Amino acid sequence: MDWEKISKELAKPFPRSQVSWRVGNTNERRRRQGEPLKGMPLAYIDARDVMGRLDEVLGAGGWSDDYKEVKGRIICTITIGGVSKSDGAGD
């Protein structure tokens, strides 16, 4: 596998139309004390778009994913060419 080429292709920016936004952490407690509501804007892409990119770069059979629950949290493992990486999200 040409890891340099694969890395370059996977790192390409997603089109703006595929980027969504939501409000992250807010100052809700301070707002109750009279401050205006403020929040951290977070950009994200849909998992289907990620899967589409992986299919485009590696082919539909060139990668796999696996999900496990660990202490009430979901851990995702993605494997490409025998190399696996895992990560999970908080509550």
Side-chain angles (χ1 to χ4, degrees), residues 31-79:
R31 182 174 182 229
R32 289 185 217 129
Q33 299 167 357
E35 287 190 25
L37 181 62
K38 296 178 185 175
M40 174 71 68
L42 300 174
Y44 67 95
I45 54 174
D46 190 90
R48 288 171 204 81
D49 295 326
V50 174
M51 290 185 281
R53 172 70 57 89
L54 289 166
D55 287 348
E56 177 184 314
V57 174
L58 302 163
W63 65 280
S64 65
D65 58 346
D66 183 58
Y67 300 87
K68 292 184 181 167
E69 184 178 341
V70 178
K71 297 183 181 179
R73 296 175 185 216
I74 303 298
I75 305 297
C76 175
T77 301
I78 294 179
T79 302

Side-chain angles (χ1 to χ4, degrees), residues 7 9 13 15-16 21 23 26 39-40 51 56 65 67 71-73 76 82 86-87 91:
S7 294
E9 290 296 312
R16 287 184 184 213
W21 293 88
V23 177
T26 67
M40 174 71 68
M51 290 185 281
E56 177 184 314
D65 58 346
Y67 300 87
K71 297 183 181 179
R73 296 175 185 216
C76 175
S86 299
D87 198 3
D91 300 335

